[in-house]
Amino acid sequence: MIQSILECNRRLAEDPAGFVAEAEANYDRQLTEIADYIAAHRDACPIVLLSGPSGSGKTTTALMLEHKLDNRGMETHTLSQDNYFRTLSDNDKRLLEQGELDLESPARVDEELLNQQLNDIIAGKPVGLTEFDFPTHTRRSSGKTLTRKPGEVVILEGIHTLNPHVVQLPESQTVRLYVSVRTRVEGPNGAQLHPKYVRLLRRMLRDVQHRGRHPEDTLKMFHSVNLGEDKFIMPYKHRSTFDVDTFFAYEMNVYRPYLLDQLQGLADKPEIAEILPILSAAEGLDASAVPETALIREFIGDSFFHK
């Protein structure tokens, strides 16, 4: 799909609240269809695998689906594959400091523990959940136990969940989702912005808002993140039951006030040179117009699903 930034500006000028509401409703319809399918297949397929590249909105999409299913009376549990990362050794930490550790590799996941617990969850056995502490790069017990009851669903979200070498469950036991930005944004001169740059903007926003990083720091990781996506994530998207486009027509307008000034200082970078003409052409939209339940709140902050 292609979204014209000039059309976005026109819609915002005419009816900003209606434009935002329409984009939110379009996404809600996608998730309602998926929730209907999950509900209809929950006995045979108690595990939902949700994958997609960085900046796709995986976490919020998983929590949105959990919310929808819970509201139907279906108890649903969301787990992050990040919590199955292996604790880094001292040598791993040295490689990380030198920028030589592949953070996108599926080898970071303890697939033996993950698959043991997934099979126990399907069988209704109690499972002691873990959590990964990113500041220390250590996996530890969360102190929580999950025992899935009949009819309950578990959503596992993470970049490697569709990789059959990582998650080794039969497809007959899972519903599989691939979420990503699929829409290209067209600028005033007809040039189109690739979806990977929309996801880059999202990561920049998240890093600025929640991690205290300057956009240039996020940009430095762009090449390696893309290589990892091409190598480890994209080859398995064909396994999905549903493909979900997480783009929102108004999001470039929201990102402009946050990032335009900072990115103009990086105009010599090729990636930013791709982004700036469209971000500059976008009319600004104040974040107060964005519902707290919106997916892009994952990146700009104050999300209903992350409180």
Side-chain angles (χ1 to χ4, degrees):
M1 182 178 288
I2 298 172
Q3 177 67 59
S4 163
I5 197 64
L6 295 180
E7 175 65 12
C8 293
N9 291 343
R10 184 188 68 79
R11 293 291 308 279
L12 283 175
E14 291 179 350
D15 180 12
F19 185 41
V20 170
E22 180 183 304
E24 293 298 321
N26 288 340
Y27 197 64
D28 186 74
R29 278 194 291 272
Q30 290 187 79
L31 297 194
T32 296
E33 178 187 356
I34 293 168
D36 288 342
Y37 185 92
I38 292 170
H41 295 80
R42 61 179 171 172
D43 292 330
C45 305
I47 304 295
V48 177
L49 303 176
L50 193 155
S51 180
S54 178
S56 294
K58 295 184 295 297
T59 303
T60 299
T61 299
L63 294 173
M64 285 176 164
L65 279 172
E66 177 181 343
H67 189 67
K68 280 186 173 293
L69 294 168
D70 284 345
N71 284 343
R72 295 164 183 246
M74 289 177 55
E75 186 66 30
T76 305
H77 313 272
T78 297
L79 303 178
S80 172
Q81 193 173 63
D82 291 0
N83 289 325
Y84 292 89
F85 284 164
R86 302 177 191 273
T87 295
L88 294 190
S89 66
D90 290 340
N91 185 56
D92 289 334
K93 291 177 182 177
R94 282 194 293 271
L95 292 173
L96 181 62
E97 290 174 359
Q98 297 164 6
E100 297 178 3
L101 184 68
D102 189 349
L103 296 176
E104 308 300 315
S105 172
R108 293 193 68 205
V109 180
D110 185 343
E111 70 274 4
E112 182 177 354
L113 174 65
L114 174 61
N115 287 285
Q116 175 190 329
Q117 291 205 338
L118 288 175
N119 280 290
D120 286 345
I121 286 169
I122 292 171
K125 297 179 181 179
V127 167
L129 299 178
T130 61
E131 61 185 12
F132 193 83
D133 182 63
F134 282 91
T136 63
H137 305 288
T138 303
R139 190 178 72 222
R140 61 194 180 194
S141 171
S142 70
K144 299 176 182 177
T145 300
L146 170 62
T147 306
R148 188 188 73 87
K149 298 181 179 64
E152 293 183 354
V153 169
V154 172
I155 301 172
L156 178 68
E157 64 90 7
I159 61 176
H160 300 302
T161 58
L162 295 188
N163 184 333
H165 305 293
V166 176
V167 178
Q168 299 159 11
L169 297 177
E171 289 191 353
S172 59
Q173 293 182 327
T174 64
V175 177
R176 299 166 304 283
L177 313 179
Y178 183 82
V179 305
S180 188
V181 176
R182 308 294 293 274
T183 296
R184 293 173 182 260
V185 185
E186 184 178 78
N189 64 356
Q192 295 177 6
L193 189 67
H194 192 279
K196 66 183 177 183
Y197 294 116
V198 178
R199 293 190 290 104
L200 173 60
L201 287 170
R202 290 176 171 186
R203 293 200 301 273
M204 286 177 169
L205 273 167
R206 182 170 56 196
D207 288 351
V208 167
Q209 298 292 103
H210 306 299
R211 300 174 185 177
R213 291 179 185 160
H214 188 275
E216 187 171 12
D217 297 324
T218 309
L219 184 60
K220 289 176 181 176
M221 298 183 286
F222 182 63
H223 181 66
S224 63
V225 168
N226 278 339
L227 286 177
E229 291 169 358
D230 291 342
K231 186 175 181 181
F232 299 124
I233 303 173
M234 304 299 186
Y236 305 107
K237 65 181 182 179
H238 70 278
R239 299 186 65 230
S240 64
T241 315
F242 293 93
D243 292 332
V244 182
D245 187 353
T246 68
F247 179 76
F248 288 77
Y250 65 85
E251 66 180 284
M252 299 297 289
N253 303 89
V254 175
Y255 299 161
R256 176 191 165 112
Y258 283 96
L259 289 174
L260 181 60
D261 288 347
Q262 294 185 72
L263 295 189
Q264 284 175 334
L266 300 172
D268 60 324
K269 308 294 184 183
E271 298 85 359
I272 304 305
E274 294 276 345
I275 293 170
L276 274 178
I278 289 176
L279 197 63
S280 300
E283 295 293 335
L285 176 65
D286 191 87
S288 62
V290 180
E292 66 172 1
T293 54
L295 180 144
I296 68 169
R297 284 279 177 194
E298 179 177 332
F299 308 103
I300 65 175
D302 296 325
S303 170
F304 169 83
F305 297 103
H306 296 272
K307 291 180 178 177

